[in-house]
């Protein structure tokens, strides 16, 4: 739910104000929580309030303050940095704080040591956030506007499989040893189709084709003009420019 809440609040903040969006989020959430509280405690009668006031430490009553700060920051930042980066930073920060709390046994929680597995998982997530942040910094340096919506390729695996299957059904790709290769010859044989648009002078270059030794292991002659070769040709072309 929090993954959806942030973008929704951020979108409302664009049309109104971040403060109002955060306020409305809590105002709307107040009523279902109130109904649940009244039903769960029979109108508050099952809670010994004097006993709770004596036993619960003062900080235990102030959790909502941090919740409000969290929602406000999320609302203000998410459309500037994107949902994936913002939510990723939030998750990593929560995990780091949780590991510290577990290690110290704070807030009357059970003490749990920070194992190498936990530390390694946190490190991987931090690296992922850093890479994503670096990407957007590069885009900023090129004056490229941030996208309105960020997606992950893993969210569209089914659509990608269907798309690739559609290319195969049209006769422009085929399977070899569990991989799918684009059929350049079939594509070029159609009217108004020319695959080597980016580097037309490299098309049919026998010397560069012969240098593509990594394809010999397949022992399939047809692969000599396929996608992997085009990638190799482009790399050779870049090398010639640098030379």
């Amino acid at each position: 739910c929090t993954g959806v809440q942030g973008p929704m609040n951020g979108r409302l903040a664009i049309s109104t104000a971040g403060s109002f969006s955060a306020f409305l989020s809590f105002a709307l959430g107040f009523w279902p929580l109130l109904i649940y509280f009244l039903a769960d405690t029979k109108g508050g009668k099952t809670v010994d309030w004097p006993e709770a006031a004596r036993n619960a430490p003062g900080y235990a009553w102030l959790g909502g303050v941090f919740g409000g700060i969290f929602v406000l920051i999320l609302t203000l930042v998410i459309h500037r940095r994107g949902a994936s980066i913002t939510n990723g930073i939030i998750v990593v920060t929560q995990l780091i704080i949780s590991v510290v709390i577990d290690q110290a046994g704070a807030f009357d929680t059970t003490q749990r040591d920070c194992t190498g597995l936990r530390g390694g998982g946190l490190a991987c997530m931090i690296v992922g956030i850093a890479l994503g942040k670096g990407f957007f910094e590069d885009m900023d340096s090129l004056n490229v506007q941030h996208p309105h919506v960020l997606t992950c390729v893993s969210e569209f695996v089914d659509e990608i499989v269907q798309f690739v299957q559609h290319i195969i059904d049209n006769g422009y790709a085929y399977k070899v040893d569990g991989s799918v290769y684009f059929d350049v010859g079939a594509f070029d044989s159609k009217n108004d189709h020319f695959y080597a648009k980016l580097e037309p002078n490299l098309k049919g270059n026998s010397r560069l084709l012969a240098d593509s030794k990594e394809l010999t292991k397949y022992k399939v002659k047809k692969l000599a003009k396929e996608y992997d070769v085009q990638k190799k040709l482009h790399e050779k072309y870049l090398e010639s420019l640098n030379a």
Side-chain angles (χ1 to χ4, degrees):
C1 293
T2 55
V4 178
Q5 179 193 22
M8 293 174 65
N9 288 350
R11 180 60 187 84
L12 181 60
I14 294 176
S15 299
T16 57
S19 56
F20 173 77
S21 179
F23 164 76
L24 184 63
S25 178
F26 271 86
L28 293 176
F30 169 79
W31 297 105
L33 290 176
L34 177 62
I35 293 172
Y36 175 73
F37 160 70
L38 294 176
D40 182 52
T41 63
K42 297 181 180 179
K45 296 179 181 179
T46 60
V47 178
D48 188 344
W49 297 108
E51 183 68 16
R54 287 192 298 269
N55 293 335
Y59 64 80
W61 302 87
L62 301 176
V65 174
F66 294 98
I69 295 173
F70 164 77
V71 172
L72 179 59
I73 294 176
L74 179 64
T75 301
L76 296 175
V77 173
I78 195 164
H79 271 277
R80 298 179 182 178
R81 288 299 179 184
S84 61
I85 296 296
T86 303
N87 287 324
I89 292 175
I90 289 172
V91 170
V92 170
T93 303
Q94 289 176 334
L95 289 175
I96 292 175
I97 295 175
S98 298
V99 168
V100 173
I101 290 175
D102 283 346
Q103 181 69 32
F107 303 109
D108 296 328
T109 60
T110 303
Q111 195 275 334
R112 294 180 175 86
D113 293 330
C114 178
T115 62
L117 186 61
R118 289 188 179 186
L122 283 176
C124 291
M125 295 190 69
I126 292 172
V127 170
I129 297 298
L131 291 175
K133 183 175 181 293
F135 169 78
F136 284 108
E137 289 177 349
D138 290 341
M139 294 298 100
D140 290 338
S141 65
L142 296 172
N143 294 323
V144 176
Q145 293 184 351
H146 286 200
H148 293 88
V149 178
L150 292 175
T151 61
C152 297
V153 66
S154 57
E155 299 174 357
F156 299 94
V157 173
D158 293 338
E159 289 82 354
I160 294 173
V161 171
Q162 294 174 8
F163 182 80
V164 173
Q165 185 60 52
H166 185 65
I167 297 176
I168 295 175
D169 294 340
N170 286 339
Y172 296 134
Y174 56 91
K175 299 178 182 179
V176 174
D177 294 340
S179 299
V180 177
Y181 292 86
F182 187 71
D183 194 331
V184 178
F187 184 84
D188 280 343
S189 65
K190 301 295 182 180
N191 293 333
D192 300 325
H193 286 182
F194 185 67
Y195 186 73
K197 288 183 178 180
L198 295 179
E199 308 294 346
N201 59 308
L202 295 182
K203 183 178 180 181
N205 189 311
S206 58
R207 181 181 65 81
L208 293 179
L209 289 173
D211 288 341
S212 302
K213 297 179 180 179
E214 70 275 11
L215 296 174
T216 58
K217 62 181 180 180
Y218 291 107
K219 296 181 181 181
V220 180
K221 294 182 179 180
K222 191 177 182 181
L223 292 179
K225 295 183 180 179
E226 309 313 334
Y227 178 79
D228 283 354
V229 176
Q230 293 295 328
K231 180 179 179 182
K232 185 68 175 181
L233 295 180
H234 185 64
E235 292 174 353
K236 289 290 183 180
Y237 178 71
L238 293 179
E239 290 178 3
S240 65
L241 290 179
N242 294 329

